Amino acid sequence: MKKTLLALIFLLTVQPPLLFAQVLSTRHLTEPVLSEGQCHAVVDSKVYLKDLKSNTSNKKAIEDIGESKIAQLSNTTDESYYFCKIKCNLQSQSHFLWLTQKDRNENFKNMNGFVCSGLDIQDVALSSTLTIKTTVAVPFLAVQSRFPEVHHKLKSISYKLSGTQAMGTLLVEFFNTLRILQSAYSLANSEVFQSAATQLQTYAPSNPESWVLIKEKVKTLEENHVEIQPGISNMNTGEDVVNMFFLTNGLFLRYVD
């Protein structure tokens, strides 16, 4: 009877905290399970360039990012650089990379400023009675990342998209977006966008040569290291608009045979 009473007291005193901790666990929010080809930002990994240059940051971060890269970058009165680590599941193996990012200095006091790409501040319900605002890691596809470090890694391991479902979904989205934009641009009162509409039409599935032309376009953009230049002021020709479309929607095509 005494042993039973002691056991009951133990359960009453230990089990509630365990259950409470289990309910309030946020690990699934900061360390989501990654499917093949997905990445997520590592929470609390952010380091600033100014700290790396002053050697007040983690020496391992300096080693991983590379002293030469750090030396080549400089902050300005308008913008500052920072680095964020990401974890990727590629070819069923975990890979960790550092991404180079920058933001306007005026955003230092902004809750949405200098946030690692792939992280989001959300209101999360931890229980039926408790909701908190916390950091959530949102998985993203490596093949569609806009960061060159990710594509350098993918190329270094000869990564190829596998799985007909995943590839099929990306292709459907690509051609649906192409169709919508081509139609919209053709109605625009602008020679630049009408030229873009004409060019986009050549990449539509209705053209028997579309896939050959698409692969040629992707290869040219990659070899010339063309990058996204946001803003309508950078859209001076129809080709600029088409390049923006491919760099925004078709980066995954680099990994399709």
Side-chain angles (χ1 to χ4, degrees), residues 23-30 120-138:
V23 171
L24 298 184
S25 174
T26 60
R27 184 171 181 177
H28 66 289
L29 301 174
T30 58
D120 192 19
I121 309 298
Q122 298 180 4
D123 291 320
V124 177
L126 296 183
S127 70
S128 59
T129 58
L130 178 62
T131 298
I132 64 170
K133 187 178 289 291
T134 188
T135 301
V136 176
V138 182

Side-chain angles (χ1 to χ4, degrees), residues 11-51:
L11 287 173
L12 289 174
T13 55
V14 175
Q15 196 170 16
L18 289 176
L19 290 174
F20 187 72
Q22 193 174 36
V23 171
L24 298 184
S25 174
T26 60
R27 184 171 181 177
H28 66 289
L29 301 174
T30 58
E31 299 179 38
V33 177
L34 296 173
S35 300
E36 172 61 38
Q38 286 188 326
C39 305
H40 77 75
V42 177
V43 176
D44 296 329
S45 66
K46 180 176 63 179
V47 291
Y48 291 95
L49 177 64
K50 62 180 179 64
D51 294 329

Side-chain angles (χ1 to χ4, degrees), residues 132-197:
I132 64 170
K133 187 178 289 291
T134 188
T135 301
V136 176
V138 182
F140 60 90
L141 284 176
V143 295
Q144 282 290 72
S145 171
R146 61 183 175 86
F147 290 99
E149 293 95 338
V150 176
H151 293 283
H152 178 75
K153 168 57 70 173
L154 292 173
K155 289 296 181 181
S156 72
I157 61 175
S158 301
Y159 191 82
K160 293 296 179 184
L161 268 172
S162 59
T164 54
Q165 182 176 357
M167 195 183 307
T169 299
L170 287 170
L171 286 171
V172 167
E173 291 177 353
F174 175 81
F175 285 117
N176 280 344
T177 305
L178 186 151
R179 176 180 54 80
I180 293 170
L181 291 179
Q182 191 278 329
S183 178
Y185 292 162
S186 67
L187 300 175
N189 186 23
S190 163
E191 291 185 6
V192 169
F193 285 99
Q194 288 184 2
S195 172

Side-chain angles (χ1 to χ4, degrees), residues 32 67 73 94 97 100 112 127 137 143 146 180 210 228 246 253:
E67 292 185 6
L73 298 175
S94 294
L97 311 171
T100 307
N112 296 316
S127 70
V143 295
R146 61 183 175 86
I180 293 170
S210 66
I228 293 176
F246 272 90
L253 292 166

